[in-house]
Amino acid sequence: MRSISCRPRPTTRRQPPRPLPSACSSAGRALRPNLAACARNPSIASNPMVSPKHVCVIGAGVSGLAAAKAFATRGHRVTIVERSSDLGGVWEPVRSYPEVQTQSPKELYRYTDRAMPDAYPEWPSGPQVHAYLADYARSFGLDRMLRLDTEVAGMERRADGKPGWTLGLSDKNGTSKEDFDFVAVCTGQFNEPRELHCPGEDAFLAQGGQILHSSKYGDSALAKGHRVVVLGGSKSATDIAVNAVKSGAREVTIVMREPVWRIPYFIGGLVNFKRILYIRAQEEMFPGWGASPMARLAHRIAAPLVWANWRGLESLLKAQLKLGRCNMVPKERIEDGVNCSVPIATPGFYPMVADGRIKAVFSTFDHYDGDSIVMSGGERISADVAVLAIGYKLGVPFLPEAYRQKLVDADGQYRLYRLIANPDLPELGFVGFNSSFCTVLCADLAANWLVRYADGQLANQPTAQAMRDNIEMMLHFKRVERPAAGVYGGLCVAPYHYRHFDELMADIGAKNQKRGGLAGRFSPPDADAYAKFLASAPDYQATA
């Protein structure tokens, strides 16, 4: 749910790890035998133009691990700071709600250099994803770069005049300052839970009610025998509502602004949705940015067929999910809202709405009154537990205000070239801000792009002005041509996965950048294929 009611409320120095041996030296190979760079080319030449950097990676989730791996592979010294007590980000066990699983199939939710275990199901569970990430960190020596329970309290440009940043790091021993040559922000979009405070909540809590963010719904016992009200329209909201029913809740109500299109794991009960929504042919049905006059004309000519495609999909979803019976037919055309906020349909959700086990209310919270929550339209819902599945706050709170203004426009849109770097934020990059349905692959490719950008080794190394011009063009596209692309601060790749990947591969200089033929048009992204594309790019190694 992107907008909510009520009132939001603002929210001993450790020794750094010793420099790792060169990634492709004999010592480096012994320490990290599976590094992709060494595996594909044990004799990578050092580049005298690239000096080793001390890089700080902020965050040890999917994106942080990808960034740490990419920079270490090129010969840089990496420190990963993570404010939690474990790696994994949103997949850290204490942040996961019961029965959570990926929205994406496992072959799309993986790094280019490590597949998920064959024994994993098509949609792995939260504990399985965490185990995969922990194994990835161990296999590539990333766990030795970790400083857990360490938070970034602030950052500023280095006072010694050298390129880079001074970070204020806070841990159980206090706060210290440390210089870094480059900083990769990998906190992503699911870092800081959003808050919602409504009048009457103190009295609701005092009489025994509970109010918690969805990330804190970690025990199904919270629901047993209670009246549970879930606020939000995301997959986490429907997951928790279904879990509450299964856990023996007395009543379950889900509150959302309006019905949204949800995609079942198998469309029509037969076709894996990745075969329809993740393919290049479907992506080309959406008008893209920077289109030439001929491309725009071709899209107008094909418009009737494209329209028929979407109406057919809508009809199929209405019938399969029984949306009419549930009174949950969305008003918006499905193609107008395809972005990173399109949720997967939680198995069992619509049948439970249809038979009354879950009551769906289209409204917002207004205030609490005794043991009830009063909606903005006046409807009262009795509640013991209120679960706020309202998402997370976007932002980089530790970045100085002057730089935040360069990063984020007044309307919340991020100014990031390729959703990774800003020319006015030197020695700084972002991995995992290119949100998508292929989160891990997106982070992996972004990390490989960022290290080359930081080292000046992109085949298409952009000038600062070229980056600014591209940012302005993309912002116009998101604000005017396709407003759906502006969700999450414009940090959403979907539905343009292939277009985004093509740009990154071209910048990196991959000799092979895409698959051709029917497989290239009608297959979802292939992480193994992108591993080969990356291997075809120029290799280099930083040297002192």
Side-chain angles (χ1 to χ4, degrees):
M1 215 164 88
R2 295 190 292 277
S3 57
I4 50 182
S5 264
C6 307
R7 62 184 189 281
R9 184 178 296 169
T11 59
T12 321
R13 185 171 181 170
R14 300 183 183 182
Q15 290 297 318
R18 290 179 296 172
L20 291 169
S22 171
C24 293
S25 66
S26 59
R29 289 195 297 274
L31 180 63
R32 299 185 303 284
N34 291 318
L35 280 174
C38 302
R40 67 177 183 258
N41 186 357
S43 59
I44 295 176
S46 294
N47 190 327
M49 298 179 65
V50 179
S51 299
K53 301 176 181 65
H54 187 189
V55 178
C56 182
V57 172
I58 303 175
V62 164
S63 306
L65 298 180
K69 164 70 166 35
F71 276 93
T73 296
R74 296 296 162 197
H76 299 295
R77 181 161 65 103
V78 177
T79 297
I80 309 171
V81 295
E82 169 56 55
R83 69 179 183 178
S84 297
S85 300
D86 195 0
L87 57 76
V90 294
W91 298 108
E92 184 186 0
V94 298
R95 294 182 60 186
S96 297
Y97 54 84
E99 299 182 297
V100 64
Q101 63 185 47
T102 64
Q103 292 203 71
S104 302
K106 67 178 182 180
E107 67 269 26
L108 296 177
Y109 206 84
R110 53 158 289 196
Y111 296 107
T112 55
D113 50 5
R114 177 63 59 88
M116 284 195 171
D118 291 340
Y120 278 19
E122 179 98 12
W123 288 274
S125 68
Q128 288 173 322
V129 176
H130 181 262
Y132 168 76
L133 296 175
D135 178 69
Y136 188 84
R138 285 192 301 270
S139 297
F140 295 111
L142 308 180
D143 54 342
R144 290 190 287 274
M145 307 172 191
L146 270 170
R147 294 190 200 175
L148 298 173
D149 299 306
T150 303
E151 187 167 3
V152 179
M155 60 189 295
E156 58 190 4
R157 296 295 288 163
R158 290 175 61 162
D160 58 11
K162 294 181 180 179
W165 299 83
T166 298
L167 269 58
L169 301 176
S170 177
D171 61 19
K172 63 183 179 181
N173 298 316
T175 301
S176 61
K177 290 189 174 182
E178 189 168 346
D179 293 334
F180 294 93
D181 303 310
F182 194 89
V183 175
V185 179
C186 306
T187 52
Q189 300 184 25
F190 305 101
N191 183 44
E192 192 70 32
R194 294 183 71 181
E195 296 180 2
L196 176 66
H197 299 279
C198 299
E201 67 177 45
D202 291 339
F204 178 79
L205 294 170
Q207 57 88 39
Q210 296 185 70
I211 304 173
L212 63 153
H213 189 269
S214 56
S215 62
K216 300 299 182 183
Y217 182 85
D219 186 352
S220 299
L222 287 166
K224 187 174 182 179
H226 292 135
R227 296 166 298 182
V228 178
V229 180
V230 183
L231 174 64
S234 64
K235 183 175 184 292
S236 62
T238 57
D239 282 352
I240 290 171
V242 169
N243 177 266
V245 172
K246 292 179 177 178
S247 301
R250 179 176 161 193
E251 296 175 4
V252 178
T253 304
I254 188 167
V255 179
M256 63 186 76
R257 284 193 176 276
E258 59 186 9
V260 299
W261 290 105
R262 302 175 194 276
I263 308 299
Y265 286 117
F266 290 92
I267 296 176
L270 297 172
V271 182
N272 190 314
F273 76 97
K274 68 184 178 183
R275 299 291 178 187
I276 295 178
L277 295 183
Y278 282 139
I279 61 175
R280 192 182 288 270
Q282 188 80 289
E283 178 179 318
E284 291 171 349
M285 294 186 185
F286 295 92
W289 56 87
S292 67
M294 286 300 296
R296 292 178 183 275
L297 176 61
H299 199 273
R300 283 197 294 270
I301 293 173
L305 293 177
V306 173
W307 181 90
N309 168 77
W310 295 120
R311 301 294 77 74
L313 180 58
E314 286 180 352
S315 297
L316 187 57
L317 294 178
K318 290 175 186 177
Q320 179 179 350
L321 301 176
K322 298 180 173 58
L323 299 183
R325 181 180 173 189
C326 297
N327 192 30
M328 297 191 75
V329 178
K331 298 176 183 177
E332 182 180 51
R333 300 190 312 171
I334 191 169
E335 68 268 33
D336 294 336
V338 174
N339 53 42
C340 297
S341 65
V342 174
I344 295 298
T346 301
F349 173 70
Y350 286 108
M352 289 181 182
V353 172
D355 64 21
R357 284 177 290 172
I358 296 175
K359 179 182 179 181
V361 175
F362 304 112
S363 188
T364 59
F365 283 16
D366 184 75
H367 65 276
Y368 295 87
D369 184 11
D371 66 349
S372 298
I373 306 173
V374 182
M375 301 296 108
S376 54
E379 182 175 356
R380 301 173 66 90
I381 302 174
S382 298
D384 301 307
V385 180
V387 181
L388 308 180
I390 56 178
Y392 294 79
K393 293 183 290 188
L394 275 175
V396 188
F398 44 79
L399 190 65
E401 179 60 27
Y403 288 98
R404 267 187 277 172
Q405 292 179 3
K406 298 176 185 291
L407 176 65
V408 188
D409 280 350
D411 63 352
Q413 294 295 297
Y414 276 66
R415 303 182 63 82
L416 285 174
Y417 180 76
R418 303 292 194 241
L419 302 181
I420 303 172
N422 181 304
D424 300 312
L425 299 177
E427 294 86 49
L428 187 66
F430 300 80
V431 176
F433 280 58
N434 53 341
S435 180
S436 80
F437 298 143
C438 309
T439 305
V440 184
L441 181 57
C442 270
D444 194 334
L445 299 185
N448 277 278
W449 187 97
L450 181 61
V451 66
R452 288 171 169 83
Y453 169 80
D455 292 337
Q457 296 297 308
L458 287 173
N460 297 326
Q461 189 78 17
T463 65
Q465 190 56 50
M467 293 173 72
R468 294 187 190 102
D469 291 343
N470 181 271
I471 289 171
E472 291 298 336
M473 182 270 291
M474 291 300 298
L475 287 174
H476 176 81
F477 173 74
K478 294 169 185 176
R479 288 169 174 151
V480 178
E481 298 182 48
R482 183 168 173 78
V487 301
Y488 301 144
L491 302 175
C492 177
V493 171
Y496 303 102
H497 295 89
Y498 278 111
R499 179 79 182 270
H500 181 59
F501 295 160
D502 289 349
E503 290 181 337
L504 297 184
M505 289 297 98
D507 289 348
I508 288 171
K511 295 179 181 177
N512 302 313
Q513 301 176 8
K514 63 178 71 172
R515 289 183 294 175
L518 290 177
R521 291 186 59 79
F522 293 97
S523 297
D526 184 333
D528 288 327
Y530 279 100
K532 295 176 182 177
F533 299 159
L534 288 172
S536 73
D539 246 328
Y540 72 93
Q541 188 74 7
T543 182

